[in-house]
Amino acid sequence: MKKTFLILFVFTFCNQITFAQKETTIVTLKNDDKAPVINKNIYGHFAEHLGRCIYGGFFVGDTSKIPNTKGVRNDIIAALKDLKIPNLRWPGGCFADTYHWKDGIGPQEQRPTIVNKWWGGVTEDNSFGTHDFLNMCELLETEPYLSGNVGSGTVQELADWVQYTNFSGKSPMSDLRKKNGRTEPWKVKFWGIGNEAWGCGGNMTAEYYAGEYRKFATFMSDWENTGGITRIASGSNSGDYNWTEVLMKNIPLNMLGGIGVHHYAVINWNKKGDGVDFTEEQYFKTMQSALKMEELVTKHGAIMDKYDPEKKVAMLVDEWGGWYEVEKGTNPGFLYQQNTMRDAVLAGATLNIFNNHADRVRMANLAQCVNVLQAVILTDKAKMITTPTYHVMKIYAVHQDAKLLPVSFQSPLYTVNGETLPAVSASASKDKNGAIHISLVNVDAKNKNKIEIDVKDLGVKNFTGTIITSAKLQDYNSFDTPNKIVPTAFKGFENKKGKLEITIPPFSVVVLEGK
């Protein structure tokens, strides 16, 4: 979570897009046998011990009157299962490098407390720990992604955590797990070795962290489980390409399952702007920052290609999303913000970028899942609502594990104060049943856009559509009007002899399905 600067778009691989003003945007889809599968883990989420994400969000305790399963809210579990979240990252974030996992196991009343120095200076009572999180992931039917403590932890501590969660034989840690009520291991696959090592994870240099990574990774063994574990390096802060270069150069590929990248869409780190009361100029600046993701993925990917041409190492954008000022009257350390149509457009355009770079991007984690930053769920005591971002991720779930259909087109321009952005964003895929899905975003806040797609050679004839839009860019779902923004049927297209003619309204997200 760090300051970034805005720079221009760069394009690559399957998203060869140039800009031109024209009345109709011609989108071409390619049926490419060599195209990658869009890894479902691109649609992952993030839950940090931050504000009301865990406590008052996921976790209310088993004595709460809010319906729960072992303290975890049933309504949140149902909503996230409906979203088909493939993985969930925990316990941080910056919190991860002050977290000692043994503080969060055993009888709750015996667990020590700490102060959450990163987020509000509140007391962390460790009532939500390893068993609580991993059991919750089982309820969600999702893969856990654990971030290990490198900044203030030890090699032995992280090695013990792997053994505690994954080893079924007799050992000190598996015996301790059984003593605490869990006989069978959870078999956690994804392991982050530290978080933001360049900042809150220790203010390390890339060279120093590469050595620390090698040391920690060496002792994280999981010889019992097929395929072992995926060890993930703490990646760069946005456009710090040297960080990626140093890690790829100095860490053996057989020790490296993935490298992270963190990037937030921010107007200005010193003056982020309101989450709801924003101008079109502020919206434009947010999208300018968000769409920088194209350049970041491209350039980091090019560096990784130098050392890993077979693309065995995954790129994980394990923190992304919009970041604004907190809602008025809320704790500034809790990062609670509303979620408007701006966030829906941001999510749709960002996911299109990830889809189009599925050859390298194989996991991403929206920050964060509940009540923090660009959340998909907000709660207020017993009340719970889903946000526009939730609905975008829900209609985009059709791309999970589907084969990418590379797209190419010339985007019209969206212009504000003499600056321009591409107005149209797109990605497409073909699922295992042969259904075609095309995701379209109109970034333009004022003008509709006409799009034409030739689908004659795709083997589908009948199309349906879903749209997320609203009357105002600043509209959002509140606890009083929880369904102001929801997916609705999209009728703004015609199939004329194998050519889809589409008119997409301003600031809207559309998914078309062809069967």
Side-chain angles (χ1 to χ4, degrees), residues 335-350:
L335 305 186
Y336 177 79
Q337 63 189 40
Q338 252 299 348
N339 199 287
T340 67
M341 277 303 304
R342 169 171 63 175
D343 298 285
V345 172
L346 190 161
T350 302

Side-chain angles (χ1 to χ4, degrees), residues 432-446:
K432 62 182 180 181
N433 298 316
I436 301 294
H437 294 99
I438 306 167
S439 299
L440 302 168
V441 178
N442 186 3
V443 175
D444 197 311
K446 293 176 293 193

Side-chain angles (χ1 to χ4, degrees), residues 27 104 174 257 337 374:
V27 175
S174 57
Q337 63 189 40
Q374 193 174 341

Side-chain angles (χ1 to χ4, degrees), residues 36-104:
V37 168
I38 298 169
N39 195 310
K40 67 179 180 180
N41 285 311
I42 284 173
Y43 291 82
H45 292 263
F46 177 28
E48 184 169 4
H49 285 243
L50 195 174
R52 294 190 300 111
C53 184
I54 301 297
Y55 303 113
F58 280 103
F59 191 71
V60 292
D62 57 12
T63 61
S64 174
K65 293 181 180 180
I66 298 171
N68 67 85
T69 301
K70 294 184 178 179
V72 177
R73 291 179 66 134
N74 292 341
D75 53 0
I76 289 182
I77 294 296
L80 294 180
K81 285 184 72 173
D82 200 29
L83 200 57
K84 299 178 181 177
I85 71 167
N87 68 80
L88 185 61
R89 181 174 179 245
W90 176 84
C94 291
F95 182 80
D97 281 290
T98 56
Y99 183 68
H100 299 281
W101 68 269
K102 289 181 182 178
D103 291 346

Side-chain angles (χ1 to χ4, degrees), residues 16-211:
Q16 302 289 335
I17 306 166
T18 57
F19 306 147
Q21 285 286 13
K22 54 194 301 183
E23 186 173 340
T24 300
T25 301
I26 309 298
V27 175
T28 301
L29 304 184
K30 299 176 183 176
N31 235 328
D32 186 351
D33 290 338
K34 296 181 180 179
V37 168
I38 298 169
N39 195 310
K40 67 179 180 180
N41 285 311
I42 284 173
Y43 291 82
H45 292 263
F46 177 28
E48 184 169 4
H49 285 243
L50 195 174
R52 294 190 300 111
C53 184
I54 301 297
Y55 303 113
F58 280 103
F59 191 71
V60 292
D62 57 12
T63 61
S64 174
K65 293 181 180 180
I66 298 171
N68 67 85
T69 301
K70 294 184 178 179
V72 177
R73 291 179 66 134
N74 292 341
D75 53 0
I76 289 182
I77 294 296
L80 294 180
K81 285 184 72 173
D82 200 29
L83 200 57
K84 299 178 181 177
I85 71 167
N87 68 80
L88 185 61
R89 181 174 179 245
W90 176 84
C94 291
F95 182 80
D97 281 290
T98 56
Y99 183 68
H100 299 281
W101 68 269
K102 289 181 182 178
D103 291 346
I105 60 173
Q108 287 189 359
E109 65 275 9
Q110 296 178 16
R111 298 178 189 179
T113 61
I114 62 170
V115 175
N116 189 335
K117 62 171 288 187
W118 297 110
W119 307 117
V122 297
T123 298
E124 164 66 57
D125 68 2
N126 284 303
S127 57
F128 187 88
T130 295
H131 288 250
D132 308 281
F133 175 71
L134 296 180
N135 290 342
M136 182 178 77
C137 286
E138 289 185 333
L139 290 174
L140 288 168
E141 299 175 5
T142 194
E143 290 279 358
Y145 170 11
L146 295 181
S147 292
N149 183 346
V150 170
S152 69
T154 65
V155 172
Q156 185 68 55
E157 182 179 14
L158 188 50
D160 283 350
W161 205 10
V162 176
Q163 189 181 97
Y164 187 89
T165 61
N166 285 19
F167 188 57
S168 64
K170 183 172 178 56
S171 74
M173 290 301 104
S174 57
D175 286 349
L176 181 59
R177 182 190 68 242
K178 293 171 185 176
K179 178 182 176 182
N180 288 328
R182 174 77 183 201
T183 301
E184 295 301 319
W186 293 277
K187 298 184 187 260
V188 178
K189 180 178 180 181
F190 299 113
W191 291 85
I193 301 181
N195 169 77
E196 294 189 353
W198 40 265
C200 61
N203 284 302
M204 303 177 192
T205 64
E207 290 78 8
Y208 181 83
Y209 173 70

